[in-house]
Amino acid sequence: MQPAADAPPVVGRLGRFDGTTFAPVVEGEVDAAFVHVFVHGWMPGFRTRERLLAATDGVRALHAWDPRLVDPDGRPLVADYTPLVEALHGLGPDHAVLWYSWIDESATDADVLLAHRSRQATQINGRRLAVALQQALARRPGRRERLHLIGHSHGSAVVTHAAASLRRPPDHLTFLDAPENQLTRIGGAADLIDAVLPRLHPGRERGRVFVDSYTSMFGGPYHRRPGLAAVVDVSLTAPLTATLDPVRAVTAAHLYAVDWYARSVRELHRGVGYGWSPLVTEAAPGGPGPAVADLHPWYTAPLALRPLDVRRRPELPLAATAGRLARRSQVRHRPLEGARLAVTQVAPDAALSFTTAPGDQLLEFDLSVHGGDGAEQLDLAVDGVAAFRSLTRYPVPMSGRYVMLADGRPGDHLLTARLTSRRPPLGRRAGDGPARPVTVHVTNLRLVNTPGAAAGFSPTRTMGAAFAAGAASGSLATLVTLVATGWTARRVLAALTRRRAATSAAGSTPRASAPHPASARR
């Protein structure tokens, strides 16, 4: 079997904040009652510097909290998120604060059309995060930590895929300006995680996953979507930024959700944001925050100068008809007859093709492992893009056995599988002898179709749509110009014809002759 290519190890992507800096996380080290995990998002403009520093240090990937990662103004990247991790660390010694870094795959050049590259990497990094957390968390009999996953921008998709892949889902899932509006769909930046969130069965009851989302620039409400009525949405009003640079202004508005949530952690007595988290309200019933079950589906914070003054947002009538909403709630499963994958130590690679139709969002499957020592790793990719990872030591529950098809237009696609071997698990040494032969089966493949679901965009489709829109608007403008020119020409010709006719008529009419003076005297 081939050795795994990942370096550094998955757990190496985690860093633990100690109040001033980040320390590496080793297996089984995190032993706290409350664990908060923050995940950053797309990092435009940092690609070249991250690659340069990684090559200089001789490592595969740099950590996002490295102070050498600075923007053109010399401001460290970590400074944008320091207030949040400091606020979470300030909650007390029972709270562990972790940061998951995937900047080696989320950083791009400063081009808005490259956002799809970051979003494409969210699936595999969600799976990596799930494995890393299960490696890092200490397992003690009778001890159950409360897990809080926080994602900013594309980090919201990462934490969603991680939550679906964990054997025990998190208690609280928080999105900070998750890109979901129509603008983000143009360049392929939208998370489209409303196809995955229902698999977590969000709810307000104890033991269910509580989900809240805070939008400040690119986000959109989730609670009106099928299966997500229990999600709490909060619309924030970002303050105006004193700059003439539109990119800087948009970035500041996008980061405002992070600053707002950090303030809600620091001012816990206000009972909003983190103040209404089940990690707070269930630990101290009767506190300043409302009970999770009593929360309104949608709030707004309209005053930038009083950011934590949130108000209930009235529910306006839905623009969509009841019939359209009913159709979207009718999720259909279409099995791929005869499709299956099997990988072994002797044959570690396998592939199959499948055909999708409009509305297909997920490809679900069953997963079974026979033999092995728990150190085997299964990777799945769709059309060459990594989408799924499972370490046999940590079985993926049914909620996480899927790959998203956000990039795939209807048609033929390729699913590939690879089995690799990682380092021996904890308690097993490399010299303990050969492990039992392992076989991994991927069976019962089925497409999940949601009628009327919004599809993602690839750069090709974006440029094609822009070209088609430009051609259509250009053709319409040409047609309007031709019609207007023809109408104007006809009006002018008609006016000239009438004037010429009037002139001709006036020239042909005989004038009355005046009497001769002599005859007048007679």
Side-chain angles (χ1 to χ4, degrees):
M1 209 162 23
Q2 304 172 5
D6 274 356
V10 171
V11 74
R13 291 180 177 269
L14 283 175
R16 183 170 183 173
F17 188 65
D18 61 7
T20 57
T21 187
F22 289 87
V25 176
V26 298
E27 222 167 301
E29 175 193 60
V30 180
D31 186 8
F34 302 92
V35 179
H36 308 273
V37 185
F38 172 72
V39 183
H40 64 82
W42 177 38
M43 294 298 174
F46 284 93
R47 176 66 177 173
T48 301
R49 186 162 185 82
E50 190 275 333
R51 291 290 82 201
L52 174 63
L53 292 172
T56 302
D57 293 350
V59 297
R60 178 165 181 176
L62 216 63
H63 290 126
W65 51 83
D66 194 307
R68 296 173 296 172
L69 289 171
V70 296
D71 63 17
D73 296 330
R75 176 180 170 83
L77 169 65
V78 67
D80 293 331
Y81 307 103
T82 299
L84 177 58
V85 295
E86 287 181 340
L88 292 170
H89 183 266
L91 292 173
D94 288 341
H95 294 258
V97 181
L98 308 180
W99 185 338
Y100 177 83
S101 174
W102 58 298
I103 193 170
D104 55 313
E105 295 181 345
S106 68
T108 67
D109 296 330
D111 186 340
V112 68
L113 290 180
L114 295 179
H116 74 284
R117 294 185 180 176
S118 170
R119 203 257 311 133
Q120 281 180 332
T122 57
Q123 284 199 74
I124 187 62
N125 279 284
R127 315 300 185 154
R128 289 172 180 159
L129 173 58
V131 174
L133 285 175
Q134 293 175 104
Q135 290 177 323
L137 295 177
R139 298 300 179 188
R140 298 184 183 277
R143 178 74 175 267
R144 182 183 183 274
E145 73 284 336
R146 306 299 298 276
L147 185 59
H148 182 196
L149 303 184
I150 309 169
H152 174 242
S153 185
H154 284 160
S156 55
V158 173
V159 298
T160 300
H161 295 303
S165 304
L166 290 168
R167 287 184 292 178
R168 184 178 65 78
D171 300 276
H172 187 180
L173 200 59
T174 297
F175 304 147
L176 303 178
D177 206 33
E180 289 287 6
N181 62 16
Q182 293 298 323
L183 180 63
T184 61
R185 299 181 190 275
I186 296 175
D191 279 347
L192 303 177
I193 52 178
D194 57 323
V196 178
L197 272 178
R199 304 176 71 88
L200 295 172
H201 303 290
R204 309 285 184 84
E205 303 85 4
R206 188 180 182 90
R208 302 280 291 275
V209 181
F210 174 65
V211 181
D212 52 356
S213 174
Y214 304 83
T215 66
S216 57
M217 183 65 197
F218 297 116
Y222 289 101
H223 71 279
R224 286 185 167 185
R225 305 185 187 187
L228 302 179
V231 175
V232 175
D233 288 299
V234 182
S235 300
L236 307 176
T237 303
L240 297 177
T241 304
T243 178
L244 297 178
D245 184 356
V247 174
R248 186 172 298 178
V250 169
T251 301
H254 187 39
L255 287 168
Y256 177 70
V258 179
D259 296 333
W260 189 95
Y261 200 75
R263 182 188 289 263
S264 77
V265 177
R266 291 193 301 268
E267 301 182 26
L268 202 58
H269 62 279
R270 301 293 298 273
V272 298
Y274 181 70
W276 59 41
S277 168
L279 277 65
V280 176
T281 57
E282 292 177 6
V292 173
D294 298 332
L295 291 174
H296 192 66
W298 204 353
Y299 292 90
T300 181
L303 304 177
L305 296 179
R306 301 168 60 184
L308 297 185
D309 288 352
V310 299
R311 308 171 184 175
R312 290 189 175 190
R313 181 163 178 168
E315 289 286 343
L316 301 176
L318 291 173
T321 62
R324 179 183 173 188
L325 292 175
R327 286 193 301 272
R328 287 207 58 183
S329 63
Q330 295 174 355
V331 178
R332 296 191 289 264
H333 296 77
R334 188 170 77 255
L336 300 181
E337 299 294 342
R340 58 179 295 147
L341 293 171
V343 287
T344 65
Q345 293 169 307
V346 178
D349 296 289
L352 63 82
S353 63
F354 60 97
T355 304
T356 60
D360 289 341
Q361 292 187 297
L362 303 175
L363 176 63
E364 290 182 334
F365 51 85
D366 292 340
L367 192 63
S368 60
V369 181
H370 305 279
D373 60 1
E376 294 79 19
Q377 175 179 290
L378 176 69
D379 289 289
L380 300 180
V382 179
D383 297 330
V385 178
F388 178 87
R389 171 166 295 177
S390 170
L391 193 61
T392 55
R393 180 184 170 193
Y394 305 111
V396 176
M398 196 63 226
S399 60
R401 298 177 188 174
Y402 67 88
V403 291
M404 279 190 69
L405 305 173
D407 286 324
R409 63 189 310 170
D412 295 333
H413 301 279
L414 182 68
L415 178 68
T416 56
R418 168 166 290 189
L419 184 66
T420 55
S421 177
R422 298 177 56 86
R423 60 186 174 84
L426 217 59
R428 177 180 173 83
R429 298 184 298 273
D432 285 347
R436 293 180 299 159
V438 61
T439 302
V440 179
H441 293 280
V442 181
T443 58
N444 194 21
L445 285 88
R446 52 207 178 273
L447 290 165
V448 181
N449 185 284
T450 305
F457 278 80
S458 67
T460 303
R461 272 179 285 165
T462 299
M463 290 185 288
F467 175 80
S473 60
S475 300
L476 181 61
T478 302
L479 179 63
V480 171
T481 302
L482 290 175
V483 171
T485 302
W487 181 85
T488 304
R490 287 195 297 271
R491 297 282 296 179
V492 170
L493 289 175
L496 290 176
T497 301
R498 287 195 299 271
R499 180 174 295 181
R500 190 180 297 112
T503 303
S504 299
S508 60
T509 302
R511 295 181 180 180
S513 57
H516 195 275
S519 60
R521 283 194 298 267
R522 289 194 298 267

